[in-house]
Amino acid sequence: MSSDQRRDDKGQGNRRFVRVRKSCKFCSDKVDYIDYKDTKTIGSYVPERGKILPRRISGTCSPHQRMLAEAIKRARNAALLPFATD
Amino acid sequence: MRVYEVMFIVAPNTEADVIDSLVTQLSDVATHQGARVTNVHRMGLRRLAYPIQKFNEAHYIVLTIEGSGAEIAEIERRMRVVDAIIRYLTIRIDEDLKRADKLKKQRVARAAASGGHARSRRGASSGGNAPYVESNDDEEDE
């Protein structure tokens, strides 16, 4: 009970955003090469509009984002992923 | 020696035996020039992300070719001529594979190093580290 109250006080006083650290999914899965034919994996980094999901949102690390971008661009040429959708 | 992945997309109204003959024909072109076709991967009939020549689906075929690079030009020229092939894409993958191999080796080495370090620090309790690394390797290979 007392601990609940304390938490409430904290919430009303200085509200703090605890940012959850985003992590690179490819690093945790230990992926060394992102295949452009693997649309299941790549597709999750291409939102509705067909653009490449930015790093700041997905949390992908720099080397993997580079590989991912390359793979997405190849997949687009092979009509596996859309260039743009309205 | 270079490794290429040649993907070509065949119109959906093409018959299966025509596709087969296309695959053998292109493979023959490669082998005649001294290259080796290491893998033929048929991804089957797939939906296209956008229409190509008013087709909404098509057959995907991927050839993995090991060679000098000269045969790729000939294969691409052949593919351009065939009407049934509505799109093709050739990528060179040996450098990517080499880099992937290097990264994997580095990771294994790092895991081994940190495992050894932990063992020396913690003694017998971290004996389970080494099998863990090995099981990781197995996952990679699958």
Side-chain angles (χ1 to χ4, degrees), chain A residues 30 32 37 76-79, chain B residues 5 49-50 60 87 107 136:
Chain A
K30 293 177 180 154
D32 291 323
K37 298 188 291 298
R76 281 173 178 167
N77 275 310
Chain B
E5 239 178 39
Y50 49 87
Y60 280 76
R87 185 67 61 94
R107 198 176 52 234
N136 253 357

Side-chain angles (χ1 to χ4, degrees), chain B residues 34-35 68 92 104 107 117-118 126 133 135 138-140:
Chain B
S68 60
R92 189 179 161 188
K104 192 183 168 187
R107 198 176 52 234
H117 187 61
S126 62
V133 170
S135 72
D138 290 341
E139 272 170 35
E140 292 290 318

Side-chain angles (χ1 to χ4, degrees), chain A residues 46-82:
Chain A
V46 180
E48 207 66 348
R49 186 67 214 262
K51 293 181 172 187
I52 300 172
L53 199 69
R55 228 147 84 57
R56 65 167 189 275
I57 295 181
S58 63
T60 313
C61 73
S62 170
H64 279 125
Q65 180 75 7
R66 258 179 278 143
M67 279 190 236
L68 181 66
E70 179 98 38
I72 289 172
K73 286 168 189 174
R74 281 171 176 169
R76 281 173 178 167
N77 275 310
L80 296 169
L81 291 177

Side-chain angles (χ1 to χ4, degrees), chain B residues 30-71:
Chain B
T31 45
H32 272 300
Q33 305 234 356
R36 219 153 50 86
V37 180
T38 50
N39 191 26
V40 180
H41 176 40
R42 285 157 207 258
M43 294 165 75
L45 194 66
R46 288 178 61 110
R47 256 199 84 75
L48 298 172
Y50 49 87
I52 301 175
Q53 293 179 19
K54 296 188 180 166
F55 294 122
N56 282 316
E57 48 188 14
H59 299 280
Y60 280 76
I61 295 131
V62 182
L63 304 176
T64 312
I65 295 172
E66 269 176 38
S68 60
E71 67 285 338

